Amino acid sequence: MHDERRRIEERVERLHDQRIKKAIYAATVPFEVEAWQAPGEPVPFEEAAAAAYAPFAMDTPWGPPWGTTWFRMRGQVPAEWAGKRVEAVIDLGFIGDWPGNQAEALVHRTDGTPLKAVNPLNQYVPIANPATGGEQIDYLVEAASNPDILAGDFAGPTPLGDVLTAGDKPLYTFQRADLAVLDEEVFHLDLDVQVLRELMLELGEHDPRRHEIMHALDRAMDLLDLDDIAGSAAAVRDALRPVLSRPANASAHVISGVGHAHIDSAWLWPIRETKRKTSRTFSNVTALADEYEDFIFACSQAQQYEWVRDNYPQVWARIQESVKKGQWAPVGGMWVEADGNLPGGEAVARQFIHGKRFFIEHFGVETKGVWLPDSFGYSAAYPQLAKLAGNEWFLTQKISWNQTNKFPHHTFWWEGIDGTRIFTHFPPVDTYNARFSGEEMSRAVRNYQEKGSATRSLAPFGWGDGGGGPTREIMERARRLADLEGSPKVVVEHPDAFFAKAREEYPDAPVWVGELYLELHRATYTSQARTKQGNRRSEHRLREAELWATTAALHAPGYAYPYEKLDRLWKTVLLHQFHDILPGSSIAWVHREAEAEYARVAEELEALTAEAVAALGGGGSRVFNTSPYDRAEVVRTAAGVPAYVEVPASGSAPLVAAAPAHSVTVTGRVLDNGLVRVEIAEDGTLASVRDLRANREVLADQGNLLRLHTDLPNYWDAWDVDKHYKNRYTDLLDAASVTVVEADPLRGAIRVERSFGKGSKITQTITLRAGSPRIDFETDIDWHEAEKFLKAGFPLDIRAPHSSAEIAYGHIQRPTHTNTSWEAARFEVSGHRWVHLGEPGYGVAVINDSTYGHDVSRTVREDGGTTTTVRLSLVRAPRVPDPGADQGSHRITYALLPGATIADAVAEGYALNLPLRVADAAGAPEPVVSVDGDGVTIEAVKLADDRSGDVVVRLYESRGGRAEGVLRTGFPLAGAQVTDLLERPLPNEVTEVTEGAVAVELRPFQVLTLRLARA
């Protein structure tokens, strides 16, 4: 037989694309269209309905960046269309090949009822099936002219990322607004040909099935009447039916399809636009559920549900109904799909608490899984926290983006730092926007790592980010692929059902231990420093407000615990932990608003804390310590005078100056407090740090070396730092001045000022205090660089086999060598408040108050000694998607702690991030709770969310070993229960109160929540 593949394949492609597809709508009549441009921000429907509209013609430009144009569309279904399926078809002038991040619209009836959205790949609105003829149609269409921020494929910066700079030139040209008859026979023929053609092209050239499909398509095309596509469609479909009905192989892979619409809560659009994107997509989804009874849609992010509930009550009611029918599956159990590395431990807990509680309260559904397809790597704390929130499974997709190493599993047990394991799946289709194309189905089977041991995977399908979610075309593809020879089988089902089946067939799946590190997007630990600082400080201010509000509620008559305010503030902070806000990968508008929100949060939390402290009574100065560790350190009084004070953990003490064992001396550029001696070089770097207790030099070379790197990643500017950034740099060694600014027995400080680059300046105040070996570097940066990366390095005279970096509720160890490609890929990593480097008998910690990114490397010197260098990432200067990212002022404090153990790093990490508070208070009660026992650390103290008056305490083992302790209360204790994160008692967990105290025993990094009843 002659090889005619090329002729047949090209024939089928042309006939499908140019004839069949264009015949799907059999007849059309145009709407009469009028338009009204809303001034400024979006307006309510009632205001738009009352506006004055002007005639509007097709092919007319419309829509300034971030604008809202309302269109009134009127039409009448022709009488001759009676009995046919009639739809509205609207093309706003859609552009490019990305269905999200551009124009989109929500269609309303004139009474304000939202019907359905219009998106690039979902342009229809159902009208009647069948039509009676003569129906009058009157729509109001709210169209958003959102700019395509990445239209230049990351080639350069754009002013379109903020309404303040975007201009007012129209972005789109309206193409179509029609009443149309959908020819269902042609519609289905289109899908038949698509599915078969794509399957054919994925099969091997020697596979008989490929040739069978090819010749069947060729014969079927002979039956297609080019002058009467509609009239011949049925015959063509009949000819294709035999090859479409061949059942799949018995061993075929099974793909569980789950409807999905990944909507970033902010990214290349502001939060206000996400509120509208959710309503548009969710209206599409509920409409599709009415059309397809077998459709199931999984949706995470309780915050987005709340937006729809508050702003689109009719869409909210439809969601509730879809949940009842089992077609809508709340998943994820988190307030938003948060960044997987940067939120603190308690913040991750609150993500689960607020998210799961929302779904329980509003739908009666307790989610079982963590749905995080798109975050940029995942902390090893997740398995434990997920299980403590009642979850059974974890799903992610993003690790498929790895730059260097292919992740070895798709279905596995993920083991966290404490030993908790959670059943995890990583879809081999390598997308969370699947459409069941032949290429996707082939890729899923080809990629699947568990062949021979397991047979099934999951595929989230639907267009995200405003693309409208799943479509009827995707559902039709799924139906055709349910049992088709040559393809994996597709079944649309709830993700819980998939995970139950996957776990049943593969209970002994392999285990992955530790973090799920994404070998890409490493710059998200640093970009948009002010956003990250706002998060860090908000987390600590929330801790402080809750602790002192609890103290006041227990001991101050008449004080009311601020449940509603704390709930609202927590949700604001949780929202901004979304995986494109906190990582710094959003447009300028998003980060401008985030900074303003953090400022409001700080102001309100400061007021709440001050109110709680004041409720304890005035009449004298006291020092309040929010840290879970006793403190002995220098504070400044209200008059600005330094004083050395001692304050118990989570408690307070009178502002009475104590005498430290050693005072500070300042001699030239040398600071000495009897514990450490710090010598500042003429260029402002550290020439020497000598640990006087251990009688050893800490540094192997210049310390606190500020290095400015050229930083242009290959593609994703705000997201990525590529390894070649290390190859080109400038060390900032030209100090404008090195000046002693404080020489008090309790504090010594030297200020170093530098200018560099394009008018940038750095002013550092290097401070040593009495009684502490910690050396602080208060760093003010006036930043005006572009495509640069600033780091602060400490080369330590330590042979450290690994670094230890704090993460949520614990710390993680990473090798300092690069024996394997996996280790080499971790050239930039994340941590929270501290990084520790140590050798047997000696260690050093680097502590910070607001940064996350860092790198650790080591070299062997000519003298045989080893230099282990830790470098903190301070600020970057990417230009896409925010051309002004990080520009302007920053204040960052970091510290060097010589002679530090892990326990010292933990304590000083809290101390730097939770400054002592000096306030007017005559007296204060004992701490609400205190704990004896090394390694047992109290993380949160609050009143129970059910307003019972119980006290909830969350604590964890912080050193990485077993710990025992006794928890005591500052109030009469009636009983104690171990609970899950949602403050519900855990079965088989017995806690006894003995003499008013609770004994606790923790495994390494275990998190424990105790609910304490008051007597």
Side-chain angles (χ1 to χ4, degrees):
M1 181 181 290
H2 300 299
D3 185 354
E4 294 196 277
R5 283 178 300 165
R6 180 175 177 180
R7 175 190 67 79
I8 295 172
E9 290 170 4
E10 290 177 349
R11 179 193 190 197
V12 173
E13 180 181 20
R14 183 175 188 187
L15 290 177
H16 171 261
D17 294 352
Q18 296 182 11
R19 300 303 174 93
I20 297 172
K21 188 168 284 296
K22 292 184 177 181
I24 289 175
Y25 286 106
T28 63
V29 295
F31 276 106
E32 176 188 326
V33 182
E34 297 175 305
W36 173 70
Q37 174 68 48
E41 286 297 285
V43 301
F45 174 85
E46 293 74 18
E47 183 176 340
Y53 287 74
F56 183 87
M58 294 299 99
D59 297 319
T60 299
W62 71 279
W66 306 114
T68 301
T69 304
W70 285 81
F71 295 98
R72 171 155 248 153
M73 300 182 183
R74 292 189 175 100
Q76 183 176 16
V77 177
E80 60 269 25
W81 289 4
K84 300 182 183 295
R85 182 169 180 169
V86 179
E87 299 177 346
V89 182
I90 301 167
D91 184 346
L92 301 171
F94 300 119
I95 58 175
D97 58 0
W98 185 11
N101 192 39
Q102 58 165 292
E104 50 189 297
L106 183 60
V107 179
H108 303 76
R109 293 196 182 99
T110 53
D111 64 359
T113 303
L115 289 176
K116 185 179 170 294
V118 173
N119 314 90
L121 298 175
N122 197 342
Q123 299 180 13
Y124 74 97
V125 180
I127 290 177
N129 184 24
T132 59
E135 291 96 334
Q136 296 287 338
I137 308 301
D138 193 348
Y139 290 154
L140 279 172
V141 180
E142 181 191 31
S145 48
N146 300 332
D148 185 355
I149 300 297
L150 301 183
D153 199 30
F154 295 87
T158 173
L160 292 173
D162 197 329
V163 70
L164 301 180
T165 59
D168 58 4
K169 182 180 179 181
L171 297 175
Y172 299 97
T173 300
F174 212 118
Q175 296 295 312
R176 180 181 189 185
D178 293 335
L179 287 163
V181 173
L182 179 73
D183 188 316
E184 295 190 69
E185 199 70 51
V186 178
F187 170 80
H188 285 288
L189 173 60
D190 169 64
L191 271 299
D192 291 346
V193 174
Q194 278 189 55
V195 168
L196 285 171
R197 176 173 171 267
E198 290 176 1
L199 173 59
M200 172 187 71
L201 294 176
E202 290 300 320
L203 294 171
E205 62 179 84
H206 301 298
D207 190 323
R209 174 66 166 159
R210 174 169 181 155
H211 293 267
E212 178 190 44
I213 295 172
M214 178 179 69
H215 288 289
L217 284 168
D218 193 31
R219 290 190 296 271
M221 292 303 102
D222 291 339
L223 302 176
L224 187 69
D225 186 343
L226 301 186
D227 297 318
D228 186 11
I229 301 293
S232 58
V236 179
R237 292 196 71 204
D238 285 342
L240 292 175
R241 196 160 281 116
V243 287
L244 270 173
S245 60
R246 288 282 184 92
N249 297 329
S251 61
H253 185 74
V254 179
I255 292 178
S256 296
V258 180
H260 184 231
H262 179 79
I263 304 178
D264 288 313
S265 289
W267 180 29
L268 304 177
W269 49 86
I271 286 172
R272 72 92 146 136
E273 195 56 33
T274 314
K275 295 176 181 179
R276 301 201 294 177
K277 284 178 179 284
T278 53
S279 68
R280 298 176 195 127
T281 294
F282 293 175
S283 65
N284 284 353
V285 170
T286 53
L288 192 66
D290 290 339
E291 192 172 354
Y292 289 87
E293 291 184 357
D294 54 337
F295 172 62
I296 293 176
F297 179 72
C299 185
S300 65
Q301 304 197 80
Q303 172 69 87
Q304 294 185 0
Y305 287 77
E306 185 176 81
W307 284 334
V308 173
R309 182 199 68 188
D310 294 345
N311 297 293
Y312 298 88
Q314 292 157 310
V315 177
W316 171 250
R318 284 153 56 181
I319 292 172
Q320 290 180 306
E321 186 60 31
S322 289
V323 172
K324 289 179 184 177
K325 293 193 306 186
Q327 291 185 280
W328 186 297
V331 293
M334 298 177 73
W335 191 247
V336 296
E337 288 184 14
D339 180 84
N341 290 307
L342 307 184
E346 188 59 20
V348 179
R350 301 300 174 101
Q351 288 282 358
F352 285 122
I353 291 165
H354 286 288
K356 288 189 66 106
R357 192 172 283 150
F358 183 93
F359 295 133
I360 291 170
E361 290 177 357
H362 293 285
F363 301 117
V365 171
E366 176 151 7
T367 56
K368 293 183 179 180
V370 183
W371 184 278
L372 275 178
D374 190 32
S375 291
F376 310 143
Y378 305 90
S379 161
Y382 262 99
Q384 178 180 198
L385 293 173
K387 293 294 284 290
L388 285 174
N391 292 295
E392 300 173 0
W393 54 260
F394 190 98
L395 178 135
T396 179
Q397 177 66 66
K398 201 69 171 188
I399 307 300
S400 67
W401 288 42
N402 270 6
Q403 196 175 45
T404 305
N405 296 287
K406 183 177 177 65
F407 195 78
H409 313 300
H410 283 107
T411 301
F412 58 100
W413 289 96
W414 181 19
E415 181 178 312
I417 52 174
D418 73 310
T420 298
R421 292 178 178 178
I422 190 166
F423 195 72
T424 301
H425 184 66
F426 169 38
V429 73
D430 279 1
T431 179
Y432 41 81
N433 297 309
R435 59 186 185 90
F436 296 134
S437 69
E439 189 276 331
E440 287 173 348
M441 298 297 92
S442 177
R443 184 199 319 149
V445 175
R446 185 172 61 250
N447 271 353
Y448 190 55
Q449 303 276 54
E450 320 307 324
K451 297 183 187 77
S453 297
T455 63
R456 62 183 67 243
S457 66
L458 184 145
F461 66 86
W463 305 110
D465 284 337
T471 64
R472 61 187 178 189
E473 289 81 5
I474 301 177
M475 282 300 298
E476 290 294 339
R477 284 173 174 271
R479 286 180 169 181
R480 286 160 175 78
L481 295 171
D483 193 14
L484 181 62
E485 184 186 356
S487 171
K489 298 178 182 179
V490 173
V491 54
V492 177
E493 63 181 346
H494 195 294
D496 286 348
F498 161 77
F499 274 94
K501 295 172 184 175
R503 183 170 174 175
E504 182 180 7
E505 80 164 355
Y506 200 24
D508 57 345
V511 177
W512 180 268
V513 179
E515 66 182 330
L516 293 175
Y517 177 86
L518 176 63
E519 295 175 358
L520 198 72
H521 293 359
R522 303 167 181 90
T524 58
Y525 316 143
T526 306
S527 297
Q528 299 285 2
R530 284 183 293 267
T531 297
K532 291 175 170 58
Q533 187 172 78
N535 174 73
R536 175 77 69 82
R537 295 188 177 171
S538 295
E539 289 179 349
H540 288 81
R541 286 183 173 116
L542 280 160
R543 172 199 180 97
E544 187 176 30
E546 286 184 338
L547 173 63
W548 302 116
T550 302
T551 305
L554 295 179
H555 299 289
Y559 177 83
Y561 190 83
Y563 291 100
E564 292 86 358
K565 291 180 179 178
L566 288 170
D567 181 79
R568 173 174 48 79
L569 290 165
W570 260 115
K571 288 175 179 175
T572 298
V573 173
L574 298 179
L575 165 60
H576 288 86
Q577 291 177 339
F578 178 75
H579 67 251
D580 274 307
I581 303 178
L582 182 53
S585 47
S586 289
I587 57 173
W589 191 347
V590 173
H591 291 289
R592 172 168 57 83
E593 290 191 331
E595 290 175 34
E597 279 294 288
Y598 284 130
R600 284 190 285 270
V601 167
E603 183 179 4
E604 195 164 350
L605 286 172
E606 175 60 30
L608 287 178
T609 302
E611 180 184 359
V613 170
L616 297 173
S621 290
R622 290 185 73 85
V623 184
F624 291 80
N625 174 20
T626 309
S627 164
Y629 291 94
D630 295 342
R631 308 267 283 274
E633 63 185 66
V634 177
V635 298
R636 289 195 183 275
T637 66
V641 178
Y644 184 80
V645 295
E646 297 176 350
V647 197
S650 305
S652 67
L655 181 54
V656 177
H662 300 280
S663 59
V664 178
T665 61
V666 181
T667 307
R669 296 189 305 273
V670 177
L671 306 174
D672 189 323
N673 67 357
L675 302 173
V676 295
R677 186 173 68 242
V678 182
E679 180 181 342
I680 313 297
E682 288 185 12
D683 60 16
T685 61
L686 300 184
S688 170
V689 173
R690 189 151 195 90
D691 188 336
L692 302 176
R693 302 160 300 174
N695 191 28
R696 64 180 285 170
E697 175 62 42
V698 174
L699 300 177
D701 204 339
Q702 292 168 298
N704 190 37
L705 177 63
L706 297 172
R707 179 168 286 180
L708 187 68
H709 295 265
T710 296
D711 180 25
L712 184 65
N714 291 345
Y715 196 57
W716 301 80
D717 289 22
W719 294 258
D720 286 348
V721 55
D722 287 328
K723 205 168 191 175
H724 51 252
Y725 89 92
K726 294 185 176 183
N727 300 336
R728 188 175 180 85
Y729 59 84
T730 301
D731 288 338
L732 303 183
L733 298 174
D734 296 329
S737 65
V738 180
T739 310
V740 175
V741 293
E742 193 167 6
D744 185 272
L746 294 181
R747 290 171 54 99
I750 293 176
R751 181 168 297 153
V752 181
E753 298 182 55
R754 307 179 188 278
S755 298
F756 61 94
K758 299 180 179 179
S760 297
K761 297 179 181 178
I762 297 177
T763 301
Q764 287 196 309
T765 303
I766 304 170
T767 304
L768 185 66
R769 297 171 179 83
S772 172
R774 196 181 87 196
I775 308 154
D776 288 359
F777 302 84
E778 187 178 271
T779 305
D780 289 296
I781 306 172
D782 186 17
W783 184 246
H784 300 287
E785 303 307 300
E787 297 171 350
K788 294 291 188 290
F789 193 8
L790 181 65
K791 287 195 168 240
F794 292 92
L796 306 174
D797 189 7
I798 288 178
R799 183 171 176 81
H802 59 258
S803 65
S804 298
E806 186 185 41
I807 62 171
Y809 280 122
H811 61 264
I812 188 170
Q813 294 182 344
R814 301 179 176 106
T816 55
H817 59 71
T818 54
N819 282 355
T820 71
S821 58
W822 294 88
E823 291 148 359
R826 287 173 166 84
F827 59 83
E828 180 79 4
V829 292
S830 66
H832 288 184
R833 291 171 292 207
W834 54 266
V835 182
H836 183 270
L837 287 305
E839 61 188 21
Y842 194 80
V844 176
V846 178
I847 301 163
N848 74 83
D849 74 345
S850 56
T851 66
Y852 294 88
H854 65 276
D855 70 86
V856 179
S857 60
R858 69 176 187 175
T859 59
V860 177
R861 305 187 298 271
E862 289 186 5
D863 65 3
T866 299
T867 300
T868 305
T869 302
V870 57
R871 303 192 311 150
L872 294 183
S873 304
L874 301 182
V875 288
R876 295 185 69 236
R879 301 200 299 158
V880 179
D882 175 8
D886 277 324
Q887 299 299 299
S889 299
H890 305 270
R891 172 168 285 186
I892 299 167
T893 299
Y894 53 90
L896 185 70
L897 186 64
T901 62
I902 292 289
D904 295 328
V906 172
E908 290 297 325
Y910 277 107
L912 185 63
N913 283 269
L914 290 165
L916 294 174
R917 172 181 291 268
V918 178
D920 177 34
E926 292 295 312
V928 175
V929 289
S930 59
V931 63
D932 299 328
D934 293 340
V936 182
T937 299
I938 295 171
E939 178 61 20
V941 178
K942 59 188 285 293
L943 290 191
D945 291 336
D946 62 6
R947 307 196 181 195
S948 61
D950 290 351
V951 175
V952 171
V953 180
R954 194 141 32 242
L955 41 82
Y956 72 109
E957 196 291 312
S958 58
R959 301 182 183 183
R962 293 185 178 273
E964 295 180 359
V966 177
L967 184 139
R968 295 181 171 82
T969 63
F971 57 88
L973 182 61
Q977 291 178 312
V978 177
T979 73
D980 66 5
L981 293 184
L982 277 70
E983 302 172 10
R984 304 174 297 193
L986 288 175
N988 305 319
E989 293 282 355
V990 178
T991 301
E992 295 183 357
V993 176
T994 304
E995 296 181 355
V998 179
V1000 294
E1001 183 176 340
L1002 301 177
R1003 66 179 181 271
F1005 300 127
Q1006 182 182 354
V1007 176
L1008 182 70
T1009 304
L1010 292 175
R1011 185 180 182 121
L1012 309 176
R1014 293 187 279 163

